[in-house]
Structure formats: C-alpha cells, structure tokens
Amino acid sequence: MSVIEKIVPLVIVLIVAVSCKNRERAPMSNVEVASSGYYSEPFRPQFHFSPEEKWMNDPNGMVFHKGIYHLFYQYHPDDIKWGPMHWGHATSTDLIHWRHRPIALYPDNLGYIFSGSAVLDVNNSSGLGTVENPPLVAIFTYHDMAGQRAGKENYETQGIAYSLDNGESWTKYAGNPVIENRGMKDFRDPKVFWHTGSNSWILTLVAGDHAQFYRSKNLKEWTKVGEFGHDRGAHGGVWECPDLFPMQVEGVDEEKFVLFISINPGAPNGGSGTQYFVGDFDGNTFSTNQKEPQWIDWGTDNYAGVTYSNAPNDERIFIGWMSNWAYAQDTPTEKWRSAMTLPRKLTLHKKFGRYELASYPVEGLERIVERAEKKSIRLREGAKETMAFENFNQAETRFVTTSRNFTLRFKNDLDEALVLNMDGTRKQFLLDRAVSGKTRFKEAFTARTQRMPLAHLPEGEVEVRVLMDRSSVEVFINGGLYVMTAQLFPNAAYNQLEVENNSQEVLEFKELEIAGIRGIWSR
Ligand code: FRU
C-alpha cells in the first residue's frame, strides 16, 4: 500500500443522507403498500411493464409504427397461471410509460395464440391493406391443445393476422395456417424481418433443437430455405423465441447478423435463458464461427426476449420476460404475475476478433430517474461502509471503479439482503438472493448463487449500474456488456447498502450515485 493511501483517512465516506424530502415514494412495507391505490400491491414493479392483472409471459409482436411502440405479450386473462394464450397489448411513445390496450388476439378453433412477431407491411405486399394504409401484420404460432392432448405431433402451426388501424383491432387471415407442420412437436415462435439482400421477408422459427428459415414475398406463402443449430450453441433444453437481425459493429464498417435463441431449460444459472450467435445470413441460412454459447443476460430472469421491428433510427431495442419457467408460476404475487425487463438498446462490439453484444437501458429512462449528487467513497483493505437510502427497491445505484474485489449488500430492517459480489480473483460476478426476502415458494428460486464470468472484462475502470424495482434487480456492467437480471421478493424495502472492500488495496468508488426512480403508473 502506498504512503498516500495510508495517510488518506481510513474511510472517506461522502455519501448518503440522500434527502428524500421532495419526493413522495410509497414505503414498501407490504402492509402499507397493499392499502394504497393503483399498481401499489406488494412487489408491484413501479417503472417496469406488468399487466394490470393476471398471467403474462413472453413479449410478442414488438413493432414501432406512427410514433407508437406496440408491446404484445403472452397473456392468460383468466388466471395468474399459464393457460389459454392470448396476445395482450400495450402501447408507449417513449418505451417507459405504457398504456394498456384491449386484448389483441384471442384463441380460435386453430388453437391458442403462442409467441410471434409483427411487421409493418409498408408496400402492402400481403394485399391485406392498401399502399396508402399499409397493414400491420402479426405472425404467430397456433398451438392446438386438443391436438396435443390427442397425441398428435403437428399441433403447432403458424398463422397471421392484420390490423388496418395501427394495432387497435386485428383480423385473422382466412387462409390460416400459413405454415403447416410436418410432424414436429416444438415448432413455433416465428420472427419476421424484411431482408434487403434477398428482397424478401424472412421468417425464423424454432423446431425443437434448431432454427428454420422461411422466405416469402407476401407474408402469406412461405418457402423453407435453411436450418441452423443442430450442432451449435447450448442444447440443454428446447429452443424457443428466435430473433434474427442485422447489426452494425460499433466503430467499424462491418455488418453482422445476430441470432437470438431462448432455451429452456439449459441456461447457465438454471432454467430459462437466452443465448445469441453472431454470424452471417445469406438469404437462406445463418452461419457462424462462434465456438462457445454466449448469453444476453446471465441472471435467471430474462427470457424469451426479442427486438422491435421498425424502430426509429435503426435502433435495436430489446425487451425480455423477467421470469424463468423453473418457478414462474409460483412467484408470490396475487393479482398479476411477472413483468418485462426494462427496454434495452443493443449494440454490437468487436474485441480481439470476438463479437460481444451489449444491452443497456434505453435513454428514455432518464426522464424518470431523479438524478442525485455524485460522491466518492474510499475504503481501506477489508473495510466496510454502510449507506442509508429510503428505498433501494425503486432506485438506481451506480458508480465507476477500478476495484475488482468488493461486495454490495442491499439490506432491509428484517435482515433480508441481496448480495452482489465482484470477484476479480476468480473473474466472476455473483448474485445471491438466498436471503433476499420471500424465497421458499419454489426450491429452484434459490437453488444456486448466480454466476456471471468476467473472463473478457478489460483492465481499468468499470461502470456498475444496479436498477431495482420492487421485485427485480438489473445489473449492468460496462455499458451492458455484462448483464444480470433477477427477481426478488423482499418483505420490506432495502434501506441500507453495505459496501465491503475484499481486496488488499484501497477501494474507491467514483461518481457514486443513488437515485430514486419515479413510478410510471397512474390511472
Ligand atoms: C416461451 C414459450 C414460447 C411459446 C410461449 C407459450 O416462454 O414457451 O415458446 O410460444 O412461451 O406461452
């Protein structure tokens, strides 16, 4: 340790006492929250999307049109457990504030409406609208429950529906299904984009252990053109919810294709997760040199995520379902179940010949963050420092540091804690929710400490951002190159943050900011 470090007062802590006088934030004690109004039930996310009531899973049909971001989602309007799937619908102009809309698609005699996508058919190639009023076309999976129960294998087919009033109302296409099933049990989740290279629509779907590509000129007649993945990537479970799209590599003149494949089970920390491949698409099939599976998010609770079609400025905006099939149906909420991740902007980076995808909250989030004063803290080796804040569960905690060995413990008065640990020695980041609050509803919820390898984290300063919203935490390191998302169910708000220096050197957190985040829900 240097002399200067020795004479620096052992702990210079300049934090906290973040005044919350001007701010009205509901305390999170479950009892108190339950008695106040709209979107204030226990565990109810305040700045994430969740349905007003009942069960939700995957985001579907994400498309931007006429200034509006549409978010459809797998929805069961009659229960807080999975059941006959509909497409619920919400809209936003800024990706932060959402407006609930009527259910867009109901099951019919071809089956439940499973996951899928939506595009603006700008030239009316489908003939379902006009050139003056081009249709929004939704492409989804029909899941024929009766067929499945009867032991058939071809119970999943693909159908389309269209809207001529910017997503307000939808008409199913009379010629459904548009893609028949030749006997594959898992054959679903079509994601469509316009491929300029082949001047056609390309549809990616998953078929058990691989992806298939289809081509069309009119969104109604599809020809299979390729397959990918039998021998690539992670295969611990069934492949679901693909997404294929081109991306510019940051800082260089290079375009690559990114392919998302959600997988359940088989994620690195158990249950559901989303892997990605970076490679090329030639109009028929996808290929990649990538050897190892790569994951969008290392936490347990980011699944079935896909990106917006037609987003402004060619941006790639991602939303995932913030849950995991290992316990999704058992989480301790009563009125609704589960939420979406924050919308995240994707960027593609190339380092030492390796491609890495970053995902980072969209800039619009700034509108609701109550930016606070930035401070610094220094801690001598082995030291701890505790900071108080009224409600970390509706706040962002961020800092930059060169330290690689520290622990963050977000704690409440009930001795519950979420523990985050940067372990530079083993080059990993750990998220431990074993004593974070309610955990006993399902063993799989706390089966292990969640681990994110940091093998490729460069030397020097790292930026750490932790966003908590009642029942979730999202951790972004280095602009979203390393991400962990997890649900938690604390019985009272975390109101202390203990920082521990686990290294042999003085730890310094610079630009440390703890900022409250305003809720987005009001009637
Ligand atoms: C993914 C998934 C999809 C399917 C949908 C059914 O979570 O299993 O493959 O379309 O959910 O709700």
Side-chain angles (χ1 to χ4, degrees):
M1 201 195 287
S2 75
V3 179
I4 299 188
E5 281 165 344
K6 274 188 198 140
I7 55 174
V8 167
L10 289 185
V11 181
I12 306 171
V13 178
L14 310 158
I15 289 274
V16 189
V18 179
S19 155
C20 300
K21 278 182 208 130
N22 306 329
R23 211 179 291 146
E24 281 208 1
R25 211 173 316 109
M28 213 190 63
S29 132
N30 289 343
V31 183
E32 282 165 275
V33 166
S35 61
S36 48
Y38 192 56
Y39 268 72
S40 56
E41 304 90 350
F43 310 124
R44 179 66 102 167
Q46 297 301 295
F47 59 94
H48 284 75
F49 180 79
S50 62
E52 256 180 334
E53 56 171 17
K54 309 301 181 191
W55 169 269
M56 172 181 84
N57 55 290
D58 316 355
N60 294 153
M62 287 157 52
V63 62
F64 178 82
H65 183 41
K66 291 190 179 162
I68 292 178
Y69 292 90
H70 293 270
L71 171 63
F72 301 88
Y73 51 89
Q74 288 287 278
Y75 189 49
H76 183 202
D78 298 322
D79 202 345
I80 58 163
K81 290 210 184 252
W82 190 89
M85 282 290 112
H86 300 57
W87 273 25
H89 186 198
T91 54
S92 175
T93 53
D94 63 1
L95 288 167
I96 298 297
H97 298 87
W98 296 95
R99 192 172 153 212
H100 294 297
R101 313 307 308 242
I103 289 175
L105 295 172
Y106 287 77
D108 61 40
N109 60 357
L110 291 176
Y112 296 177
I113 313 296
F114 269 23
S115 286
S117 51
V119 291
L120 173 66
D121 182 12
V122 70
N123 295 322
N124 191 34
S125 67
S126 61
L128 296 169
T130 59
V131 176
E132 296 72 43
N133 185 26
L136 283 176
V137 178
I139 309 95
F140 53 85
T141 296
Y142 270 121
H143 183 98
D144 171 15
M145 213 58 195
Q148 182 182 16
R149 286 199 189 108
K152 286 189 184 169
E153 304 233 301
N154 60 353
Y155 49 84
E156 291 188 335
T157 56
Q158 321 311 320
I160 63 175
Y162 58 97
S163 170
L164 302 176
D165 54 6
N166 198 14
E168 285 296 309
S169 62
W170 291 83
T171 307
K172 305 235 182 70
Y173 172 55
N176 280 338
V178 293
I179 300 181
E180 302 270 4
N181 182 333
R182 301 213 179 107
M184 302 225 41
K185 276 188 174 167
D186 296 298
F187 184 69
R188 56 178 177 265
D189 306 340
K191 181 77 163 65
V192 173
F193 74 105
W194 177 256
H195 181 233
T196 40
S198 59
N199 207 24
S200 49
W201 297 104
I202 296 291
L203 179 154
T204 309
L205 56 71
V206 278
D209 66 348
H210 66 281
Q212 299 188 347
F213 307 103
Y214 292 74
R215 187 189 300 157
S216 174
K217 292 289 179 199
N218 59 15
L219 293 165
K220 298 189 290 201
E221 289 140 333
W222 294 94
T223 310
K224 187 176 159 201
V225 289
E227 291 190 357
F228 168 81
H230 296 274
D231 55 355
R232 290 292 177 133
H235 279 281
V238 65
W239 281 25
E240 299 188 315
C241 298
D243 194 358
L244 175 69
F245 50 88
M247 280 200 93
Q248 260 340 103
V249 181
E250 292 293 302
V252 284
D253 185 18
E254 185 183 4
E255 186 187 81
K256 297 300 280 183
F257 273 81
V258 177
L259 175 65
F260 285 0
I261 299 285
S262 281
I263 176 172
N264 178 54
N269 284 298
S272 323
T274 302
Q275 56 181 326
Y276 70 89
F277 302 89
V278 182
D280 300 298
F281 181 71
D282 65 4
N284 294 313
T285 197
F286 177 84
S287 57
T288 178
N289 297 325
Q290 190 179 311
K291 301 276 180 292
E292 298 287 309
Q294 286 178 229
W295 302 89
I296 293 176
D297 191 316
W298 291 84
T300 43
D301 295 277
N302 181 355
Y303 192 59
V306 287
T307 64
Y308 267 96
S309 176
N310 204 33
N313 311 318
D314 276 340
E315 284 192 347
R316 273 291 143 191
I317 310 290
F318 168 95
I319 296 179
W321 173 47
M322 208 154 43
S323 198
N324 187 315
W325 282 114
Y327 45 74
Q329 308 205 61
D330 304 287
T331 54
T333 59
E334 282 167 14
K335 187 172 174 192
W336 88 100
R337 229 187 224 127
S338 82
M340 296 301 180
T341 65
L342 280 176
R344 301 172 183 179
K345 185 180 159 181
L346 303 181
T347 48
L348 186 60
H349 306 259
K350 190 178 185 180
K351 285 191 200 126
F352 310 113
R354 183 174 180 272
Y355 297 96
E356 290 182 339
L357 195 70
S359 58
Y360 205 57
V362 293
E363 274 164 26
L365 181 68
E366 288 305 313
R367 293 178 181 206
I368 54 168
V369 178
E370 299 171 323
R371 286 276 158 231
E373 205 185 323
K374 292 185 175 151
K375 313 277 186 170
S376 297
I377 60 167
R378 286 170 68 89
L379 290 176
R380 68 180 159 78
E381 70 175 270
K384 286 182 189 172
E385 180 61 35
T386 300
M387 296 160 222
F389 187 74
E390 179 193 22
N391 182 3
F392 280 102
N393 295 79
Q394 196 179 327
E396 176 187 46
T397 305
R398 70 194 291 179
F399 55 87
V400 290
T401 186
T402 53
S403 175
R404 290 293 186 279
N405 287 288
F406 56 85
T407 303
L408 308 175
R409 285 188 196 85
F410 293 93
K411 306 199 278 196
N412 63 21
D413 297 339
L414 306 173
D415 270 346
E416 297 170 342
L418 165 72
V419 185
L420 304 178
N421 175 236
M422 171 86 91
D423 174 357
T425 317
R426 293 187 190 79
K427 289 193 184 303
Q428 61 184 7
F429 191 90
L430 303 173
L431 186 156
D432 186 350
R433 60 182 175 186
V435 294
S436 58
K438 286 199 191 340
T439 57
R440 297 227 177 115
F441 50 89
K442 192 86 193 223
E443 222 178 293
F445 187 70
T446 46
R448 60 177 105 174
T449 299
Q450 299 176 34
R451 177 180 174 272
M452 168 163 67
L454 298 176
H456 302 279
L457 190 67
E459 299 283 305
E461 282 193 338
V462 291
E463 182 213 35
V464 178
R465 247 181 118 177
V466 180
L467 285 140
M468 266 195 263
D469 187 4
R470 294 282 166 92
S471 47
S472 67
V473 57
E474 292 166 285
V475 182
F476 299 91
I477 297 177
N478 269 10
L481 281 166
Y482 297 87
V483 182
M484 292 187 100
T485 302
Q487 291 186 86
L488 7 126
F489 301 94
N491 287 299
Y494 300 134
N495 53 8
Q496 294 159 57
L497 167 58
E498 181 188 273
V499 180
E500 181 175 355
N501 179 3
N502 305 324
S503 76
Q504 308 298 314
E505 288 145 29
V506 170
L507 164 147
E508 184 170 25
F509 283 0
K510 291 195 292 194
E511 294 171 43
L512 172 60
E513 183 185 1
I514 302 169
I517 301 185
R518 281 193 297 279
I520 57 170
W521 299 104
S522 61
R523 230 200 282 258

